[in-house]
Amino acid sequence: KIGEMKHILMTVSILLVLWGIAEAVYGGLQLYGLAESNHSLYNITGSFRNPGPYAGFLAVVLPVALYLALSCRIRSKCLRQGTVALCWVYVFLCVTLLPATLSRAAWIAAGVGSGIVLCARYRLRTRCILYFRRHRRRAWALACAACLLLALAGAGAYYLKKNSADGRLLMWKETLCAIAEVPYTGTGPVVHPRPKTQLINQDKIPRHDGRLYGIAGDGIKIHHKQPEHCCNQQRNDNDGDVLQQGF
């Protein structure tokens, strides 16, 4: 039974890598304008509707492909070499396409997943402990440098899409306020506990890619107005098409 389970897991992993290669090739074609994107605001979505889920899918498959490339144990030599080659092809495609998606969550997921695979394959934890015992000062210096690099990377990821991050923080803040006001019974699927007349000042609402993010009294609404439309139409209090309503 254990052998059958390993065979099934290997087959599913190889199929997942093949699916990932197909998605990566499709996304590359979209990136270079050879295929049509599924979103009007983004040029790379794969077969998904948004680059976020697309990047998440690529990030999830990356550790699987990396593990197979480093630890493939198929008995057949030709099949093993073919599998390893396909896995390295996917790793290359994924590393080159993920930055184009601008999905910071996918970057973190790919880095953490790949790091776990590398740590398990090369026993990096044991090696780091031995190195720390032998070279304490140098190890502390390297650890401080790594923390500094992580802090700089986090700040860069925040300022890369600052308005998007601020919009998420705004939604989380409103969600926490709603939970604090009605912590036990909740507010229901649509009803918001705050008065409907209470709106957030639109001058402080973050804007990103031509979209106006605002939170109304009965839920979260995203008002959208393309920049070219704003030049041709007169603005008023009712401008913007509601694209999404949450909570």
Side-chain angles (χ1 to χ4, degrees):
K1 293 182 179 180
I2 297 178
E4 293 179 358
M5 183 61 65
K6 289 183 178 180
H7 179 72
I8 293 174
L9 290 176
M10 181 64 66
T11 303
V12 172
S13 300
I14 294 174
L15 292 176
L16 192 62
V17 172
L18 291 175
W19 186 10
I21 291 176
E23 288 288 347
V25 171
Y26 189 27
L29 294 176
Q30 292 175 338
L31 185 62
Y32 286 98
L34 300 178
E36 186 178 357
S37 173
N38 294 325
H39 200 290
S40 60
L41 298 177
Y42 304 99
N43 56 355
I44 176 171
T45 59
S47 62
F48 296 83
R49 297 290 181 181
N50 192 282
Y54 173 67
F57 175 80
L58 295 181
V60 168
V61 180
L62 179 59
V64 178
L66 187 60
Y67 176 80
L68 288 179
L70 297 175
S71 306
C72 186
R73 298 179 180 178
I74 301 177
R75 295 182 179 180
S76 175
K77 183 178 180 180
C78 294
L79 185 58
R80 182 174 66 253
Q81 291 178 348
T83 301
V84 171
L86 286 175
C87 290
W88 282 120
V89 167
Y90 176 77
V91 170
F92 173 77
L93 292 174
C94 185
V95 170
T96 55
L97 285 176
L98 272 182
T101 61
L102 295 179
S103 176
R104 295 157 297 182
W107 298 348
I108 296 174
V112 172
S114 301
I116 293 175
V117 171
L118 294 176
C119 287
R121 178 65 177 82
Y122 297 105
R123 299 179 180 178
L124 296 181
R125 181 176 179 273
T126 303
R127 293 185 178 185
C128 290
I129 293 175
L130 293 177
Y131 185 85
F132 180 80
R133 290 176 179 177
R134 295 175 182 177
H135 311 279
R136 288 184 178 273
R137 293 183 179 179
R138 190 180 302 176
W140 278 114
L142 292 175
C144 293
C147 292
L148 180 61
L149 289 177
L150 287 176
L152 292 176
Y158 171 76
Y159 285 103
L160 178 65
K161 297 170 67 178
K162 183 178 182 299
N163 293 330
S164 176
D166 290 340
R168 293 174 185 270
L169 292 175
L170 186 62
M171 289 188 288
W172 295 344
K173 175 185 175 182
E174 287 296 311
T175 302
L176 292 176
C177 290
I179 294 174
E181 292 179 3
V182 192
Y184 301 108
T185 60
T187 61
V190 178
V191 180
H192 196 280
R194 300 191 178 188
K196 292 187 177 181
T197 57
Q198 182 179 358
L199 299 175
I200 292 180
N201 187 3
Q202 293 189 359
D203 295 335
K204 298 181 180 180
I205 297 175
R207 298 171 183 267
H208 177 63
D209 294 336
R211 286 173 290 182
L212 173 63
Y213 292 86
I215 298 182
D218 56 347
I220 298 178
K221 297 181 179 180
I222 299 178
H223 297 272
H224 175 269
K225 180 62 65 174
Q226 293 287 359
E228 60 269 17
H229 292 171
C230 291
C231 297
N232 299 327
Q233 298 181 9
Q234 183 180 2
R235 294 185 58 184
N236 53 61
D237 295 337
N238 296 324
D239 276 350
D241 300 326
V242 176
L243 293 183
Q244 180 179 353
Q245 181 174 347
F247 301 100

